[in-house]
Amino acid sequence: MHKSIGLGRLPIKKTLTWAAGITAAAVTVAAVLIIAGCRKKETDLNLSYISPSDVAVLSDGIAVTDAGKNRVYKLDGDGRVVAEFETDGTAGGICVSADGTIYVTAGEAEGKVFVLDGKLKKKAEIDVGHTPVSPVLSPDGSKLYVANRFTGNVSVIDTSKNTVDDTICDLREPIALAVTSDGTLYVGAHLPEQAMTEDVVGSVITAVSPDGNMTDIQLTNGATSLKDMCVSPDGKYIIATHIIARYAYPTTQLDRGWINTNAISLVSTEDKTLYHSVLLDGVDEGAANPYGVTVAPGGEYIAVAVAGTNQVELIHYQYMISKLSSVNADDTPPEDDLAFLDGGRVRIDMPGVGPRAITSGGDYLYVCQYFTGNVVKFRIDNSERYELSLGEQSEENILRKGEIVWNDGRLCYQGWQTCASCHPEGRADGVNWDNLNDGIGNSKSTKSLLYSYRTPPEMITGIRADAETATRAGMKYIEFSDVDEETLKALDEYIKSFEPVQSPYLNRDGTLSESAARGKKLFESPEVGCAYCHPAPYFTDLHMYDVGTVDPETDGASQTVSVLDTPTLLEIWRTGPYLYNGKAATIYDVLTTYNKDDRHGKTSHLTEEELRDLEQYVLSIGAEGEEFGVTSVISEAEDGTRTQMALKSGTTIASVEIRRLAPGEQSATVTFELFDGDGTSLARKSKKTSKLDKNYTEWIDLDIKVPEDLKDGAYYVVSISYGNNEKATDLKIKY
């Protein structure tokens, strides 16, 4: 049964297979572009929610981190909150030492580890890397390991001194850690980092022995969105949860896991190799977005929190190992066999929404229900179950509703996947997909959806006119779901709320490194020309070009479209591999190997040092500190057709939408000015907004007629000013 998630009724239309030839015409811009007045503050868009992100068992209760309200809670044996600690930044992972010391990771660019006593009183505070997660202790408790997700390494902390002694590993988004009894540390990468030209593209687990030797263990092809790891009951395996992206197939159907399947992988601790991957899905029942994993009480079962379908899956460990030991070379591999675990697993429905972190203690499993905002404590035979409150949860606003929809596998046919399956946290999964919107056989790299509603058109070939159209097409043709417009609007608003994360290539205080500062000058110089197509604030001019990156001989004969959308460079450090089909593993490859004819920036004359400086700047583009932004400019043709963020002759600039990006109510003056190619002003209007708080928008009516004889070189500029602040970069759109 589908449980209520606060959106009212969510009609689900289950359709087996869509035809392969569906195009952008199936969803029209007119159906989704609706001009509204100022969004009234009928609901608080800046509510914080209790969002439990991790849980640890104490001798006298449990401790829970809350990523929504940036807190740590201690609950006693009766499930009552008896202490709280407020973290500096997002509360992440938690672990507890044998003597009861609690370690909590928190923060983003200025990541920290808080050392707390059993009453949540702070004993120490340790600076670590960008977005620290997954703290684990060495077997003797002398070392604490912390994965610095966006710095891409692991901090090694001396627990006797509470100091960082070393940083180790070099992985793409290390997100999960596990330690075996012999002291070997295993580090799981969230996403693949290979170029799509490689034979195997998948996340890696690195084994670090006590003497410092490192072994990279390649997971199965398509392994992505790795979330958690644990040590098997007998210590013979590291068990990791992840998705297997079936990116080699066109997205024509969902049956039998055609697009994404959901799995655990077993890595041998003896020979440091991948043993097998096993599917969590059933033949006609997906297990969308597996998250936390732990050994259940008694050691008989492996417990996996299945976040997308709101379940916990219990896998009989010896049943699985016995079946794996009898797999022959001519058998269907377990990673392709949806019935492999039949007879050895059971799914338990959770009472709330978004089970993520999971751990065991005593006779119970503890599961953090991220969206419901509580912890479920239960026996694996389900004879006892308790919901432990962390406080009163706020009523869901439209952004929270959209976030739930984004992560809800119940909206997908048979529960195979969610929006987050291909766009974890709204970004990219690191692989290519053949989505059929421009014909079959045209695989394209997954794009980040950061600022997608501000930077039309959508898809790398521009086949979708705008993000509203793309969102609706994605729900219909990728999740094979027909949801109501209220649900889709909530999804729109959630995606619009994505904000850039500060780049790990910046200094800790957010300033450019010396190398990146030199690169910025090159980027903005006419001699190099990067800023011509990638101007601030969105680092795209919203136009399409043939930049010479499509090569039918090497990319496949079906790759016939050479004119591509100019992507935003915001957070480009986070979204590799690069170019339209992921064939460039690094930005340096983009600037060199794939820019020989200088069609996307004149870089062939640059020295090696200059190229590295330019690369450092591009990788530094992240949170720009904007306080206001232009989220839409609507042009209307005589036939009533409306387009976003474009300048076209003979149209009318109808209105512009302004969004407040920083907290605190503030009004601003918005000026729209149209120029001809010589820089002569053709029209100008200024208006003042209401006082807007973060995430609130206002439409400014303009009604400016664009001349029929507009010449090349014409452009418009939208500028925002308020007080003495300069934190609103002008938006310039060229004809």
Side-chain angles (χ1 to χ4, degrees):
M1 295 294 292
H2 293 283
K3 299 180 179 69
S4 170
I5 57 171
L7 282 173
R9 299 169 65 185
L10 295 176
I12 310 297
K13 182 179 179 181
K14 293 188 174 181
T15 306
L16 291 177
T17 307
W18 292 95
I22 294 169
T23 67
V27 183
T28 64
V29 178
V32 295
L33 284 182
I34 301 172
I35 303 301
C38 175
R39 183 191 294 161
K40 297 180 181 179
K41 198 166 184 177
E42 297 172 349
T43 183
D44 189 349
L45 294 180
N46 297 304
L47 289 173
S48 60
Y49 296 90
I50 299 171
S51 304
S53 53
D54 204 0
V55 56
V57 176
L58 311 175
S59 62
D60 56 350
I62 61 171
V64 183
T65 53
D66 176 0
K69 292 184 176 290
N70 299 340
R71 282 178 169 80
V72 185
Y73 308 101
K74 179 180 178 181
L75 283 68
D76 65 16
D78 294 322
R80 297 173 300 188
V81 176
V82 294
E84 293 186 26
F85 174 80
E86 187 169 349
T87 60
D88 182 12
T90 303
I94 188 168
C95 70
V96 182
S97 69
D99 67 1
T101 301
I102 300 169
Y103 298 93
V104 174
T105 62
E108 289 76 35
E110 298 184 8
K112 298 179 183 297
V113 172
F114 291 101
V115 185
L116 311 176
D117 67 16
K119 296 182 179 180
L120 301 190
K121 300 298 183 183
K122 185 169 76 171
K123 298 167 62 177
E125 182 178 317
I126 308 165
D127 288 342
V128 287
H130 194 317
T131 311
V133 293
S134 192
V136 295
L137 288 154
S138 61
D140 63 2
S142 65
K143 295 178 181 178
L144 177 74
Y145 301 103
V146 174
N148 300 307
R149 180 177 173 187
F150 292 134
T151 313
N153 57 23
V154 175
S155 294
V156 183
I157 296 171
D158 182 333
T159 57
S160 67
K161 301 175 183 177
N162 289 325
T163 57
V164 176
D165 278 1
D166 198 4
T167 49
I168 58 175
C169 290
D170 181 15
L171 284 175
R172 181 178 185 180
E173 295 190 27
I175 198 171
L177 303 180
V179 179
T180 53
S181 60
D182 67 353
T184 301
L185 172 71
Y186 291 82
V187 186
H190 183 220
L191 299 173
E193 60 183 346
Q194 302 95 339
M196 287 302 297
T197 53
E198 300 293 328
D199 292 335
V200 176
V201 176
S203 295
V204 168
I205 294 175
T206 297
V208 186
S209 65
D211 61 7
N213 287 329
M214 298 188 190
T215 304
D216 287 339
I217 304 158
Q218 177 65 60
L219 297 187
T220 190
N221 191 34
T224 184
S225 286
L226 186 151
K227 294 298 185 187
D228 197 15
M229 301 191 304
C230 74
V231 183
S232 66
D234 54 14
K236 292 182 177 180
Y237 303 101
I238 296 296
I239 300 175
T241 60
H242 59 85
I243 292 170
I244 299 179
R246 308 290 176 166
Y247 64 84
Y249 302 108
T251 58
T252 54
Q253 65 182 57
L254 269 175
D255 295 77
R256 302 184 69 83
W258 189 261
I259 299 177
N260 281 304
T261 48
N262 305 278
I264 56 172
S265 280
L266 285 75
V267 168
S268 170
T269 58
E270 181 180 357
D271 57 15
K272 309 296 188 295
T273 59
L274 175 64
Y275 179 48
H276 280 296
S277 297
V278 180
L279 298 183
L280 299 168
D281 314 287
V283 172
D284 57 2
E285 183 185 20
N289 302 115
Y291 228 90
V293 60
T294 192
V295 177
E300 191 176 357
Y301 290 91
I302 303 298
V304 179
V306 184
T309 56
N310 301 329
Q311 295 169 318
V312 169
E313 183 163 322
L314 298 177
I315 302 164
H316 194 283
Y317 179 67
Q318 287 302 329
Y319 176 92
M320 175 176 65
I321 294 301
S322 176
K323 287 203 69 174
L324 289 174
S325 66
S326 61
V327 172
N328 297 313
D330 56 349
D331 292 337
T332 300
E335 67 186 55
D336 296 329
D337 187 351
L338 291 165
F340 187 82
L341 288 177
D342 284 359
R345 65 175 164 198
V346 63
R347 291 195 193 181
I348 301 174
D349 291 333
M350 290 291 99
V353 180
R356 293 190 176 183
I358 185 170
T359 194
S360 69
D363 297 327
Y364 298 95
L365 280 170
Y366 297 85
V367 181
C368 293
Q369 298 192 127
Y370 187 85
F371 293 113
T372 306
N374 61 12
V375 175
V376 179
K377 172 184 177 182
F378 67 101
R379 291 181 181 270
I380 61 173
D381 63 2
N382 225 14
S383 61
E384 293 180 53
R385 186 165 72 180
Y386 310 94
E387 293 188 60
L388 309 180
S389 174
L390 303 175
E392 185 177 353
Q393 185 72 300
S394 301
E395 184 178 352
E396 293 163 0
N397 63 24
I398 193 170
L399 300 183
R400 185 67 162 188
K401 292 175 181 177
E403 184 181 9
I404 292 170
V405 172
W406 181 267
N407 292 280
D408 194 350
R410 301 168 303 170
L411 299 179
C412 175
Y413 171 67
Q414 294 185 344
W416 290 104
Q417 57 196 21
T418 70
C419 303
S421 297
C422 297
H423 296 281
E425 298 169 28
R427 275 60 178 191
D429 60 1
V431 298
N432 290 349
W433 289 103
D434 187 0
N435 283 341
L436 309 180
N437 48 43
D438 56 357
I440 199 165
N442 292 289
S443 293
K444 303 292 190 300
S445 183
T446 306
K447 291 181 67 175
S448 169
L449 299 186
L450 175 67
Y451 285 2
S452 56
Y453 282 70
R454 309 183 194 189
T455 55
E458 289 308 303
M459 321 307 289
I460 196 65
T461 57
I463 198 71
R464 306 292 189 203
D466 50 72
E468 287 87 346
T469 304
T471 295
R472 284 148 182 78
M475 288 298 291
K476 193 171 185 179
Y477 305 132
I478 301 299
E479 293 208 26
F480 291 67
S481 177
D482 188 7
V483 298
D484 59 37
E485 187 62 21
E486 178 188 3
T487 302
L488 291 166
K489 287 180 178 177
L491 198 54
D492 289 336
E493 292 304 313
Y494 172 62
I495 301 171
K496 289 177 185 178
S497 73
F498 294 164
E499 297 179 355
V501 171
Q502 180 175 305
S503 169
Y505 291 85
L506 294 170
N507 295 322
R508 191 174 172 93
D509 64 359
T511 58
L512 291 172
S513 67
E514 292 183 4
S515 174
R518 295 192 299 268
K520 185 174 188 288
K521 293 179 180 179
L522 291 168
F523 184 92
E524 295 174 346
S525 70
E527 292 77 19
V528 177
C530 300
Y532 181 82
C533 297
H534 295 282
Y538 298 139
F539 292 88
T540 170
D541 65 358
L542 307 180
H543 287 278
M544 299 183 67
Y545 301 99
D546 179 355
V547 293
T549 57
V550 178
D551 185 348
E553 290 187 9
T554 58
D555 298 345
S558 60
Q559 304 289 3
T560 57
V561 178
S562 58
V563 178
L564 305 175
D565 179 48
T566 302
T568 175
L569 299 184
L570 283 166
E571 262 194 13
I572 197 73
W573 58 269
R574 190 175 175 181
T575 58
Y578 303 107
L579 300 181
Y580 79 102
N581 63 350
K583 60 185 175 181
T586 67
I587 291 296
Y588 186 79
D589 292 338
V590 173
L591 297 174
T592 54
T593 303
Y594 297 102
N595 193 33
K596 293 179 179 178
D597 60 5
D598 275 352
R599 273 193 278 180
H600 52 99
K602 302 176 181 67
T603 60
S604 60
H605 68 287
L606 298 180
T607 66
E608 173 72 14
E609 182 181 9
E610 288 173 326
L611 286 166
R612 292 299 182 185
D613 289 344
L614 183 57
E615 177 190 35
Q616 285 297 305
Y617 174 65
V618 171
L619 292 171
S620 297
I621 297 172
E624 300 304 308
E626 299 286 284
E627 295 200 7
F628 282 92
V630 181
T631 56
S632 191
V633 179
I634 301 297
S635 301
E636 186 172 327
E638 290 186 1
D639 63 2
T641 302
R642 286 170 168 169
T643 56
Q644 297 188 65
M645 296 292 203
L647 177 57
K648 296 183 177 181
S649 60
T651 61
T652 297
I653 306 294
S655 55
V656 57
E657 185 187 38
I658 305 301
R659 190 181 191 98
R660 175 71 171 156
L661 304 175
E665 293 190 348
Q666 175 73 53
S667 60
T669 299
V670 180
T671 301
F672 180 97
E673 192 159 10
L674 176 65
F675 298 88
D676 67 13
D678 297 326
T680 302
S681 179
L682 302 177
R684 186 177 189 274
K685 278 190 179 181
S686 291
K687 290 189 177 182
K688 192 171 184 178
T689 70
S690 306
K691 286 189 175 182
L692 301 175
D693 202 350
K694 184 176 181 179
N695 287 320
Y696 286 87
T697 63
E698 183 167 334
W699 286 97
I700 304 295
D701 294 329
L702 293 173
D703 194 31
I704 293 176
K705 182 69 176 178
V706 179
E708 295 279 358
D709 58 348
L710 202 64
K711 300 293 192 301
D712 286 348
Y715 60 95
Y716 68 70
V717 175
V718 184
S719 58
I720 304 171
S721 61
Y722 57 103
N724 296 319
N725 293 289
E726 299 294 334
K727 294 183 179 179
T729 306
D730 293 350
L731 175 69
K732 180 179 178 180
I733 301 294
K734 298 177 289 187
Y735 177 57

